[in-house]
C-alpha cells in the first residue's frame, strides 16, 4: 500500500504567541465555531498536538504525521517533536493492546491519541489541530504563496511523479504534499519525518514574512479565518486573533527538533496482526521526550 503522510500548519500564529496571550480552554469548540469561553487566561507554556491524517475526506483514517510542539517565550525557542507513526505503544481500551501509535487515531480519534501519548510518554496535550490531504494542500498555498524551497532527487521525482528537476526547486501545495509523503528510499519514514519538519519550518517563515508588513497585518484576520477552515481544532478564531500581533513580535528565534524513538532506543519487529513496527525502549524514549520539553 502506498504510504501517505502530511502534517501542518497555522502553527506559527498559535505557538509564537501562546505564552504572551495563553489560550483558554474551549470545551471542544472547533476553529469555525463562534461560541467562545470567557475563562480567565492563565500563564504557562502550552503543548500542541499536530496531526496529519491519511484522508481526503473519509470518516476514518490513521494519523500518519504526529507532532508535538511547545514554545518557550523567555528563551524565544520553539520545540517540535515528531513521533514515528510505526512506534509500538500500548493503546488504552483496544485490541490488541499494543499497536502502532497511528492506530490510536483510527480507533478513537484525537482524544484516544492524546491519552496514548500521555500514558506512553507522560506528556499532557493542551490543544490539538488535525489536517487532512486537502487541507494540507490549501494550507501550504495560503501560508507560502510563493512556494517552498526543497531539494529533490530523481528517486523522489520518479516515485511520486513530482513536476520538478533534480536539486533545489520551488514547489507548491500538491507537489509539496507528494514531497512530504515520500518514504521509498533507504531512510524510509525517518527521512520522511525530517522532510515534514523542514517544510513546517518553511511554512512558519513564509507566514511570518506575509504578516510582517502593514498590509500583512491588515490581512491577518482573513488569513487566520481561512486557515482555520482547513483544520479541525479546539482553538477558536477569537483567541488567535487576539494574539495575532504578538506572534509577529515574538516569533521564535530558534527551533529545536526531536524524533521519537530516539537513536539507539528501538529495534525493527513484526507482529502478525499489525505488521512491521518500531519496538521502543519505553523508559528511554519517555525520558528523552520529557527532557526535550523541559526548559
Amino acid at each position: 500500500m502506498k504510504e501517505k503522510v502530511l502534517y501542518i500548519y497555522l502553527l506559527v500564529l498559535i505557538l509564537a504567541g501562546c505564552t504572551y496571550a495563553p489560550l483558554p480552554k474551549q470545551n471542544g469548540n472547533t476553529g469555525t465555531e463562534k461560541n467562545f469561553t470567557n475563562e480567565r487566561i492563565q500563564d504557562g507554556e502550552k503543548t500542541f498536538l499536530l496531526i496529519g491524517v491519511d484522508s481526503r475526506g473519509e470518516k476514518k483514517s490513521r494519523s500518519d504525521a504526529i507532532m508535538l510542539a511547545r514554545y518557550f517565550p523567555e528563551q524565544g525557542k520553539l520545540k517540535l517533536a515528531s513521533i514515528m507513526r510505526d512506534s509500538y505503544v500500548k493503546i488504552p481500551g483496544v485490541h490488541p493492546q499494543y499497536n502502532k501509535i497511528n492506530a490510536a487515531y483510527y480507533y478513537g480519534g484525537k482524544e484516544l491519541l492524546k491519552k496514548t501519548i500521555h500514558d506512553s510518554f507522560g506528556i499532557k496535550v493542551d490543544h490539538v489541530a488535525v489536517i487532512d490531504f486537502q487541507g494540507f494542500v490549501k494550507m501550504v498555498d495560503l501560508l507560502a504563496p510563493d512556494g517552498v524551497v526543497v531539494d529533490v532527487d530523481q528517486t523522489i521525482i520518479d516515485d511520486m511523479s513530482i513536476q520538478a528537476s533534480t536539486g533545489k526547486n520551488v514547489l507548491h501545495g500538491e507537489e509539496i504534499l507528494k514531497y512530504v509523503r515520500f518514504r521509498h528510499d533507504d531512510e524510509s519514514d525517518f527521512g520522511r519525518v525530517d522532510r515534514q519538519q523542514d517544510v513546517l519550518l518553511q511554512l512558519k517563515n513564509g507566514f511570518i514574512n506575509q504578516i510582517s508588513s502593514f498590509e500583512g497585518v491588515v490581512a491577518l484576520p482573513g488569513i487566520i479565518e481561512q486557515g482555520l477552515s482547513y483544520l479541525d481544532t479546539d482553538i477558536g478564531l477569537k483567541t488567535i486573533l487576539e494574539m495575532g500581533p504578538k506572534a509577529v513580535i515574538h516569533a521564535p528565534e530558534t527551533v529545536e527538533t526531536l524524533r521519537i524513538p530516539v537513536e539507539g532506543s528501538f529495534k525493527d519487529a513484526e507482529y502478525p496482526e499489525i505488521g512491521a513496527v518500531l519496538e521502543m525502549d519505553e523508559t528511554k524514549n519517555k525520558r528523552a521526550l520529557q527532557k526535550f520539553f523541559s526548559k
Side-chain angles (χ1 to χ4, degrees):
M1 183 180 81
K2 184 170 281 192
E3 300 299 337
K4 304 172 181 178
V5 129
L6 49 124
Y7 73 113
I8 330 261
Y9 110 30
L10 234 199
L11 162 83
V12 198
L13 249 196
I14 299 165
L15 291 179
C18 65
T19 302
Y20 290 92
L23 302 170
K25 298 290 184 181
Q26 300 208 16
N27 300 321
N29 286 344
T30 65
T32 55
E33 292 175 337
K34 304 302 180 184
N35 297 321
F36 301 99
T37 179
N38 291 319
E39 183 180 356
R40 181 176 169 277
I41 292 174
Q42 312 235 339
D43 288 334
E45 292 91 3
K46 302 289 184 181
T47 301
F48 298 82
L49 171 59
L50 317 175
I51 307 170
V53 297
D54 63 348
S55 165
R56 292 188 182 269
E58 296 89 347
K59 289 184 178 180
K60 295 196 75 171
S61 57
R62 291 179 182 260
S63 52
D64 275 355
I66 303 167
M67 190 176 292
L68 295 168
R70 186 178 292 177
Y71 181 61
F72 299 84
E74 293 180 2
Q75 294 91 353
K77 184 166 55 181
L78 173 65
K79 292 189 175 185
L80 302 175
S82 295
I83 303 176
M84 303 286 287
R85 68 191 193 100
D86 289 343
S87 299
Y88 192 57
V89 298
K90 184 178 181 180
I91 301 177
V94 303
H95 177 77
Q97 275 194 320
Y98 277 83
N99 207 324
K100 299 178 182 182
I101 195 168
N102 70 341
Y105 186 83
Y106 180 84
Y107 288 116
K110 56 190 177 185
E111 291 304 319
L112 183 56
L113 182 54
K114 280 172 59 176
K115 181 169 176 52
T116 300
I117 289 171
H118 182 267
D119 290 356
S120 299
F121 303 105
I123 300 295
K124 177 182 177 292
V125 171
D126 297 293
H127 295 284
V128 183
V130 183
I131 194 167
D132 64 9
F133 282 166
Q134 294 171 336
F136 174 78
V137 169
K138 293 176 181 177
M139 189 68 79
V140 168
D141 289 336
L142 174 68
L143 299 185
D146 295 329
V148 178
V149 179
V150 295
D151 194 352
V152 297
D153 60 27
Q154 197 61 47
T155 302
I156 297 178
I157 292 171
D158 293 342
D159 188 81
M160 302 304 294
S161 299
I162 292 178
Q163 299 300 309
S165 57
T166 57
K168 296 286 185 182
N169 287 261
V170 177
L171 302 183
H172 296 269
E174 286 285 356
E175 301 304 298
I176 287 294
L177 172 60
K178 295 176 183 178
Y179 175 78
V180 298
R181 285 176 56 198
F182 175 74
R183 64 186 295 270
H184 298 143
D185 62 5
D186 292 340
E187 294 185 331
S188 188
D189 275 335
F190 292 92
R192 184 172 66 169
V193 165
D194 290 342
R195 285 187 289 275
Q196 290 171 17
Q197 291 182 342
D198 176 63
V199 172
L200 176 59
L201 297 183
Q202 290 202 54
L203 292 182
K204 172 189 73 68
N205 293 334
F207 179 70
I208 290 295
N209 289 338
Q210 275 197 77
I211 61 176
S212 293
S213 65
F214 174 77
E215 293 80 6
V217 172
V218 172
L220 184 58
I223 294 173
I224 298 169
E225 187 166 20
Q226 185 176 350
L228 283 174
S229 71
Y230 305 145
L231 300 171
D232 174 12
T233 180
D234 58 2
I235 305 165
L237 172 62
K238 181 180 178 182
T239 299
I240 297 179
L241 286 175
E242 286 174 347
M243 67 187 184
K246 295 180 176 65
V248 181
I249 297 168
H250 303 292
E253 298 170 3
T254 61
V255 179
E256 296 181 14
T257 60
L258 179 74
R259 186 175 58 203
I260 295 293
V262 296
E263 188 174 352
S265 70
F266 68 94
K267 63 181 180 180
D268 295 325
E270 190 159 345
Y271 293 92
E273 296 181 45
I274 300 168
V277 303
L278 300 175
E279 198 164 68
M280 303 186 299
D281 181 322
E282 296 179 11
T283 300
K284 183 177 289 188
N285 281 283
K286 182 176 182 177
R287 287 175 179 169
L289 190 55
Q290 290 185 353
K291 181 178 179 181
F292 179 70
F293 278 139
S294 68
K295 292 184 180 181

